[in-house]
Amino acid sequence: MRRTSRPTDVPAGPPQPGNLSHELNRFVGRAAELAALVAALESGRLVTVTGVGGVGKSRFAAHAAARLPRSLCPDGVWRVELATVRLPELVEYTLAEALGLTDHTTRAPRQVLVDHLAERRLVLVLDGFEHLVDACASLIRDLLRAAPGLRVIAVGRRPLAVDGEQAFPLAPLTPADAAELFADRATALLPGFQLDGRTLIDVLEVCRRLDCLPLAVELAAGRLRVLSPPQLMERLDDRFRLLRGGGRDALPRHQTLRTTIGWSHELCTPQERLLWARLSVFSGSFDLEAAEYVCGGESLLADDVVDVLDELLAQSVVVREEARGEVRYRMLDTVRAYGAEWLDSLGDGRRMRRRHRDWYMGLATWCELDWFSPRQGEVAARVETELPNLRAALEHCLTEPGETHLGQYLAGTLWFYWAGCGRLSEGRHWLDRSVGLDVEFDDGDVCPGFVDEDTEYGASRLKALWVLGYVAILQGDTVPALAALQECREEAERTGDATALAYAVHRTGCLALVTDDMPRAEDLLRTALAGYREIGELNSNVLMGQVELAMALAFQGDLAEAVALCADVRQVCEDHGERWTLAYALYVLAYAQWMEGGYAQARGLLDECLAIDHEFHDLLGTVLSMELLALVTLEEGDAAEAAVLQGAAARMWPSVGLPLFGSAHYNTPHERCETQARQALGDARFAELARSGEQLEHDEAVARALSRGRRQRPTTAVPHPARLAEPVGQKREPAASRTWKGGETAG
């Protein structure tokens, strides 16, 4: 069969912004539909591609979106996968995640999205929303009203019913295109396969009997490993009669797809069917180790999972993915749903969901320990990849009777991801839910670190409370933060939990620090560090407490002890490979260098600090570094660039929390820089340059700040501003006698 040309191929040029994945095999047919969808999107702002499951809606929409003219979406095409999202309240978080947004404030996620999209011209591909219609319709309606440059391609089995929506029903392939699709996939499987003569007649009949649905055609082509085209037709006859699903009023095409999947299921061995059912508990992708643990056991040994999984891969029941050298697996949502029904019919769903929960609780525990190591970046990437499964485990714990304490443990254990990787808003969601539930216990359940099942407050709840307080502090939400920390402290004292007590005191000191009560912050942080030493605790949190103490001292004028504390932290971080806390220590050391006039040294420290913060999506660290870099840039004689950097920082602050933490101490570098830059440039020029900085996207702003050290600096210097504070000269206990040594065991 002659293959038709593809007029929709992308012309050569720079890559389109966005997150669309590259296609792994050839897209077949639908040239007229592709042109019609582009035309519909040019004339309207919301087009919903509808159709029966298996008709190829997702692939079609992504293929069309990748070929939209750049003039229609200069800010890119962004695909949002909703198939793994089970809760309506997570739709906004998922959209923000797809757009790469990080926000630390208490602003509603919808407002964050509105603010981000308001002045952009881009296309969203909202895929797999049918189980979240109400939430998606409400969100898209608000976004379209607030963002005139936004266009949306929605993909689902029904329209959203939003004003201005254009429905785009997607029909099955033509028989010729379906046969070409069959041949393309068959050739990849069997290189000698040819679509001619009797084979062409048989394949056309197979496609016709499958209503030319792309998913059904691809599944059928995958069966050529063991069946010839004539045998395919014989099996279709048998399976259509045997597996006709759905009620009497169900659409025939729905029945046809179910029959196709059921037929693939029937051709599986008992072990393959069992693994198919058990794999349905995963959300998103999974790796082999997880599959072996969760799915291995009765009737299917863990050692046999890899061989059975290989057969499911060969039959296209499971899809293989590879990223960063790691192989992972995924089930198409329709296939997963079929497996879930089968699992429930076996009466094994609850047990398998508990095994899934156990694996991901173990993963979170390991990641928390490994965060304090040279693998910190790998840990962040791993949790990012596993987030859909971690969400599923959290939701299971917080809805399954008797497992609330496990949900509290899991939400608290992920503190490093919520606070260290820019996920404060979602972390707050899970923490608020977990501490708001009463704890009940199932017989035999044991939560790692839980103190006493007869006590209302165990270690799991206490950990969730101090982590909640910490997250709320970073969001600038001080009242709930204080309430959570006070509750944690009181119960820790009552139950004798020295670990929770130290963390509660520490985070209360952090709250004092960001609310400008430096003497109280110093007192609480010293108390917390003494508590950590007593119990032998050493990790990123402990080192951060030492950095926060150094900040409190520096803001009170004691630069010498602040530098000693952070130099010690720097050494311990280097010994352990820790980088997240290291960035904050570098910030304090850079601050001290600026105070002493060491601008080149300060810039070197801040460059490293900013690069780390940006890598971990830590907005707070990023914006603090940007503010101090602007001041150093001013000192080096470039008032214009300092104004640009201040504008870039000003754009970031609303996503961090309280502007400049509401602190006179944190605010002083900003005020000094702005005052001196205005004097050097004049008010009008300063405002113009600051506005240009505000136009920079986050990545652009960071790249510009980091490139400063590689450019030639002006020789005309701006007069040095007054110092923030003079050292008070007070003698303090030497830092080395109170700080942590790299050889101690991590807590």
Side-chain angles (χ1 to χ4, degrees), residues 11 33 120 156 233 261 263 403 411 488 643:
E33 293 101 317
R120 287 175 169 78
M233 286 191 292
I261 298 174
W263 163 60
E403 298 196 9
C488 181

Side-chain angles (χ1 to χ4, degrees), residues 540-557:
S540 298
N541 267 308
V542 174
L543 293 178
M544 188 65 80
Q546 192 166 324
V547 173
E548 290 159 350
L549 175 59
M551 286 183 178
L553 294 171
F555 291 149
Q556 293 178 87

